[in-house]
Amino acid sequence: MQAWKTFSLAFWDEPNHGLSEELQQHLFHAGFLRSRWALYDMAENGVEGYLSDFQALRLQAANAKYQAVMADRVLCSHVVSNYCRAPQIYCVVSAEEVQWAASPWWRQRDQASGGLIVHPMQPGVVASYQRILLQDGRFQGPLGEGRSDELVQALQQQARRQGCAYVLTEHVPQGGFADELAPGHLNLLNVLLVREPHEWRPQLAAATLVIGRRRADGSAALRVEEGALSASVDDETGLITSCKGLDERRHKLCDFPTHPQTGSRLVGQRLPGWREIREMLMAFFDESSYLRACSLSFVLTDEGPSFFAACEGHLATHQIHRPLLGDPFIASHISRLGA
């Protein structure tokens, strides 16, 4: 019931993208958000084989009570930090209180400059992050603008409006490879890990890079639904084999072998240190034997991957390239859950 409620709220929060009422009802009853029609090119491919957004939420139930660890931004960060770098958590902000975990450097030095990331404490299907820029004693970002010492207060006001708790973390700078793909954007590696249902062997089901793009209104697209690009990564070699995204004007899925705004080559690039990244992922999932499926995001730094977030909403980035129900392990878990 909670999964259906989360999906339903996300569905009605989305714009209708010009779809007919009949088509919207069809997508809703099939468990897909409205944006999936164009994102998965369903007019051409149909809905069969695609893991619906409702099923993606239900897939978390495969982890049973241990899903509480993956759904909690703080706990998940502590677990993953045993395998790779994890960003410093400064505080958790709810409508009622602020729980500090580290000293707020931006309040100690008036002229301090840098960046912070705001994450939902418990991400939903369309939850996203917010980037905050700190410069000359002031902050700027989706929260608005103001003095640096007013940042947490502004975040708490948002928590009260939205009934959500947030985690404020450091902004880990991405490395040269990631930055060259789309300078000025945060380009994230998303992976989907599942466990083979008979012998419980870990499997890397999908890996994609979400590459930023500037929208027509000047804002940055953070998700593929908003116009960011999704580059498929070969799970054995780390080679980018294809890159797709929505044409904002026509709202149609297109191929982008090069970045449409920077001209940088995307398809054919190889992620540096992929063998080490893959080994880290397999070690994490092999030793986290209580987990059956999880979706993780990482920042690619020059020193290796840094944990960013866990969010099932990123499954859309993988399905642009192939329907996930075609994966026998995912299909098996969904069948067991009756989703």
Side-chain angles (χ1 to χ4, degrees), residues 75-284:
L75 291 178
C76 187
S77 181
H78 288 327
V79 171
V80 180
S81 67
N82 293 311
Y83 302 89
C84 69
R85 177 181 176 180
Q88 173 69 61
I89 294 175
Y90 292 108
C91 61
V92 177
V93 181
S94 68
E96 295 78 26
E97 62 178 341
V98 177
Q99 296 177 311
W100 290 98
S103 177
W105 55 264
W106 62 93
R107 293 172 62 177
Q108 296 174 348
R109 303 189 302 274
D110 289 341
Q111 303 303 313
S113 298
L116 297 169
I117 301 289
V118 175
H119 298 273
M121 181 68 172
Q122 293 181 313
V125 66
V126 294
S128 190
Y129 62 92
Q130 302 173 48
R131 298 174 69 182
I132 307 296
L133 176 65
L134 293 152
Q135 191 170 17
D136 299 329
R138 298 188 64 80
F139 76 87
Q140 181 180 12
L143 288 171
E145 298 183 34
R147 297 199 316 268
S148 295
D149 59 1
E150 298 173 330
L151 170 60
V152 173
Q153 180 182 352
L155 184 57
Q156 190 165 37
Q157 290 174 351
Q158 177 174 287
R160 288 170 180 151
R161 288 194 304 270
Q162 300 185 354
C164 178
Y166 294 97
V167 180
L168 195 61
T169 76
E170 70 170 317
H171 181 4
V172 176
Q174 64 187 3
F177 171 80
D179 196 51
E180 287 176 6
L181 297 175
H185 295 277
L186 186 55
N187 307 305
L188 298 170
L189 171 66
N190 294 323
V191 298
L192 173 61
L193 296 158
V194 295
R195 200 169 295 282
E196 191 274 329
H198 302 294
E199 298 180 13
W200 303 114
R201 293 190 304 269
Q203 305 287 333
L204 178 56
T208 56
L209 269 172
V210 174
I211 300 170
R213 182 166 51 154
R214 190 67 55 186
R215 304 178 70 184
D217 63 5
S219 63
L222 304 179
R223 302 184 299 132
V224 289
E225 298 91 328
E226 301 168 346
L229 307 180
S230 174
S232 181
V233 178
D234 183 274
D235 66 343
E236 292 293 339
T237 65
L239 185 72
I240 296 178
T241 55
S242 68
C243 184
K244 298 177 182 291
L246 287 173
D247 182 296
E248 190 172 9
R249 182 175 57 85
R250 296 182 296 160
H251 203 65
K252 181 177 176 59
L253 190 65
C254 298
D255 290 305
F256 291 98
T258 60
H259 197 285
Q261 292 162 342
T262 67
S264 56
R265 183 169 64 95
L266 303 175
V267 176
Q269 295 270 40
R270 193 182 303 273
L271 272 65
W274 176 251
R275 185 179 68 177
E276 291 76 14
I277 293 174
R278 198 180 193 287
E279 288 176 354
M280 178 273 292
L281 293 172
M282 290 297 100
F284 157 73

